[in-house]
């Protein structure tokens, strides 16, 4: 990291913002908030392991039920900061890198050697 002093100053603000966003109080993870309207995200969702995909659907349904009832989950069921890991973002980055590589390879023009 080039500026550790900046990280020390910004981390408390970032943690406050994540808590203020309220998605953890509904039992969601940060990657659950990524909209599914993109081809890349849909492909990443297909690549998820079955258990992770099931857990995602369960978290989303439970959050919708809590939202409709205007209630929050009990503190023991809310997502803890250490549980809020990125499970979908690495797959999205991997798919975007694959797409970029594919585009780069399609643009390449083979050159013939002249003797």
């Amino acid at each position: 990291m080039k500026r550790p002093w900046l990280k020390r100053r910004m981390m408390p603000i970032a943690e406050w913002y994540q808590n203020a966003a309220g998605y953890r109080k509904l039992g969601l993870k940060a990657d659950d908030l990524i909209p599914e309207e993109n081809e890349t995200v849909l492909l990443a969702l297909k690549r998820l392991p079955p258990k992770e995909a099931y857990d995602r659907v369960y978290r989303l349904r439970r959050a919708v039920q809590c939202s409709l009832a205007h209630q929050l989950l009990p503190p023991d069921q809310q997502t803890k900061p250490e549980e809020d890991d990125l499970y979908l973002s690495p797959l999205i980055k991997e798919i975007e890198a694959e797409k970029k590589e594919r585009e780069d390879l399609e643009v390449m023009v083979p050159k013939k050697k002249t003797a």
Side-chain angles (χ1 to χ4, degrees):
M1 174 160 293
K2 292 184 179 183
R3 297 186 178 110
W5 60 271
L6 184 61
K7 182 178 180 181
R8 282 194 307 269
R9 292 228 174 166
M10 295 305 289
M11 284 307 291
I13 296 169
E15 290 171 6
W16 172 84
Y17 180 76
Q18 286 178 332
N19 288 329
Y23 66 88
R24 289 182 180 164
K25 294 178 183 175
L26 294 173
L28 295 173
K29 294 183 176 184
D31 279 356
D32 293 337
L33 304 176
I34 298 174
E36 300 176 9
E37 301 164 353
N38 187 344
E39 273 186 46
T40 306
V41 176
L42 290 174
L43 187 57
L45 288 172
K46 288 179 185 177
R47 289 187 184 183
L48 278 177
K51 180 170 180 1
E52 191 67 49
Y54 176 82
D55 290 346
R56 174 187 167 85
V57 171
Y58 178 78
R59 285 190 302 269
L60 290 171
R61 287 186 181 182
R62 184 174 58 174
V64 168
Q65 288 177 344
C66 289
S67 179
L68 291 174
H70 299 285
Q71 295 178 347
L72 297 176
L73 289 174
D76 62 323
Q77 293 181 8
Q78 294 177 3
T79 304
K80 316 281 185 293
E82 57 273 3
E83 296 171 352
D84 192 5
D85 56 344
L86 302 176
Y87 65 93
L88 194 59
S89 297
L91 289 174
I92 292 172
K93 289 178 184 174
E94 179 182 312
I95 291 169
E96 288 173 347
E98 288 172 5
K99 282 185 178 182
K100 185 180 181 319
E101 183 180 2
R102 189 175 297 117
E103 288 173 4
D104 291 345
L105 288 174
E106 288 175 356
V107 172
M108 286 178 58
V109 178
K111 294 183 180 178
K112 293 183 180 180
K113 271 188 161 180
T114 54

